[in-house]
Amino acid sequence: MGVDLFARCRDYDVARSARAAGVYPYYPVFAGPGAPVTELDGRSVIMCGSSDYLGLAADPRVIRAARDAADRYGTSRSGSRMLNGGTPLHAELERELAAAAGLPEALLFPTGYQANVGAIAGLTGRRDVVLVDAEAHASAYDGAGLGPGRAVRFRHNSAADLGRRLAASPGDAARLVVVDGLYSMSGDACPLPTIVETCRRYGARLLVDDAHGFGVRPLDVGGVDLLTVTFSKALASVGGAVLGPPEVLDYLRHHARPEIFSAVAPPSSVAAALAALRIGAAEPWRGERAIAGAAGLRAALGAQGHTVPAGPGPIVALPMPDLASTLAAWRGLLGAGVYVNPVVPPAARCGLRVTITAAHTDAHLDTVATAFADRVTPDPR
Ligand SMILES: Cc1ncc(COP(=O)(O)O)c(C=O)c1O
């Protein structure tokens, strides 16, 4: 008799004991639209965990675009784009994404996760080295792990550490550096000019995952070789894209396994992303409002005695001393009608992650700040 594969599942009791203690924070079921106010367990809560930064996921214009696309093209292409094709909407979104980002071409993927995995694993070969920022999204690491190359982690936002690691990599290896434009957990931005300069110095290619910045704040793509974006944040939908030179995207069309072996994003998702992209461009106040709301909340938390890391975007990260204080703060805020994301192990640091969208009113933001004042004790360290 071998070892029962399922034994590890029976032994895994972290989630079970958290549920029993009433502090399990995951897989909530909301009975209402995503933001800014939704319903959880029969109660109305201000949603500060969603990445619907432009506040468009419940916008009637976006909903209508999704509905019209489903009416016209059906709910699914029921296969990969390679074999069963996209629709004119897919090509239109690719053109408009490339124009918005200032890069030559875009290639859609079923999700942002798959865009990163597909681009990184699809491009790199056996002798290649993929250098990934320590705080880059899991999909960057998964892409590096899935590909046959060697994955190397460099210190978060450190061009100096990146330079050292590039210098130490074999001279005959092709190098791909992967960073996020705006970091999802800490809310800080990549120091792009110094990273670009370091990549150039060593002849490495640079991929920037701008999942959290795209559509919210401009990114200077000078020196960026490849950009990945997701539709699941500012674009109020689901899907992703890789943007870059036509020959690279054509190579990915034939080498990126998530593109070849997974179903193409449905027409309704593509239409929603296209509508949100256009609305976001026509209404720049949305991105500006989300960023200003986050800045206001950082200032309010600072005035309450919290140490809040600076950030240029709509993500407010509040470090907490440990798991117990994080879950207690999360529950306290929920009790005050404010839903935020707890960040707990296996994340490197514990804390709360608060996202602000254009749809949050001044009154919502005041309620959030008051809930923190009432329910979250500043870390005395
Ligand atoms: C930085 C970053 N990249 C990629 C992704 C994956 O995007 P998607 O939800 O479209 O798969 C996420 C999602 O949270 C993210 O935060």
Side-chain angles (χ1 to χ4, degrees):
M1 280 278 277
V3 174
D4 178 14
L5 181 67
F6 290 177
R8 67 195 63 175
C9 313
R10 286 191 294 273
D11 294 345
Y12 175 72
D13 89 336
V14 176
R16 243 187 334 259
S17 47
R19 275 189 209 103
V23 293
Y24 183 72
Y26 299 130
Y27 297 96
V29 178
F30 293 102
V37 175
T38 185
E39 198 184 311
L40 182 65
D41 298 332
R43 291 183 49 224
S44 167
V45 291
I46 299 175
M47 170 48 105
C48 289
S50 158
S51 299
D52 177 23
Y53 299 125
L54 303 186
L56 290 172
D59 186 285
R61 295 166 290 180
V62 177
I63 293 171
R64 195 178 325 116
R67 194 182 292 141
D68 289 350
D71 282 345
R72 174 149 193 195
Y73 298 109
T75 51
S76 173
R77 302 309 296 170
S78 306
S80 76
R81 192 165 178 203
M82 190 182 217
L83 294 179
N84 293 348
T87 67
L89 284 172
H90 291 75
E92 215 171 323
L93 180 55
E94 285 175 336
R95 275 194 302 276
E96 296 201 18
L97 284 172
L103 285 163
E105 243 183 46
L107 173 65
L108 298 195
F109 278 74
T111 66
Y113 177 95
Q114 287 167 288
N116 277 335
V117 170
I120 298 166
L123 265 177
T124 49
R126 212 160 48 81
R127 307 179 74 79
D128 302 341
V129 180
V130 186
L131 299 104
V132 188
D133 183 285
E135 293 199 8
H137 189 254
S139 50
Y141 282 97
D142 291 355
L146 188 68
R150 187 159 67 88
V152 173
R153 182 187 296 244
F154 66 92
R155 198 171 310 142
H156 176 52
N157 275 351
S158 172
D161 191 43
L162 171 62
R164 275 191 294 275
R165 289 170 194 275
L166 280 167
S169 61
D172 62 346
R175 276 82 53 93
L176 175 67
V177 173
V178 184
V179 298
D180 286 7
L182 189 65
Y183 284 88
S184 58
M185 288 297 162
S186 47
D188 58 349
C190 172
L192 213 42
T194 60
I195 297 287
V196 164
E197 198 275 320
T198 308
C199 290
R200 282 202 174 135
R201 188 151 21 102
Y202 290 95
R205 294 291 184 179
L206 174 62
L207 183 156
V208 177
D209 172 6
D210 201 26
H212 291 271
F214 186 73
V216 181
R217 62 191 283 276
L219 183 86
D220 178 2
V221 292
V224 173
D225 295 298
L226 290 171
L227 185 75
T228 51
V229 300
T230 172
F231 312 154
S232 67
K233 307 194 192 298
L235 299 191
S237 185
V238 170
V242 180
L243 292 87
E247 70 274 15
V248 177
L249 300 189
D250 207 38
Y251 184 86
L252 289 178
R253 265 184 207 103
H254 302 95
H255 291 83
R257 296 172 67 84
E259 176 69 357
I260 299 168
F261 296 109
S262 196
V264 59
S268 52
S269 300
V270 171
L274 188 55
L277 181 67
R278 290 173 179 165
I279 295 169
E283 299 175 2
W285 62 265
R286 290 180 176 274
E288 290 157 14
R289 181 169 172 82
I291 291 171
L297 182 62
R298 274 187 214 101
L301 298 184
Q304 291 170 20
H306 294 284
T307 304
V308 194
I315 302 166
V316 179
L318 184 63
M320 300 291 294
D322 50 36
L323 174 63
S325 59
T326 304
L327 291 177
W330 170 76
R331 270 211 311 177
L333 290 169
L334 197 53
V338 175
Y339 184 89
V340 303
N341 292 145
V343 181
V344 298
R349 289 184 298 273
C350 287
L352 298 174
R353 179 177 177 275
V354 189
T355 49
I356 303 301
T357 77
H360 286 118
T361 63
D362 290 348
H364 293 143
L365 297 175
D366 286 346
T367 305
V368 174
T370 305
F372 269 89
D374 293 345
R375 309 283 178 125
V376 185
T377 311
D379 183 356
R381 289 173 304 170

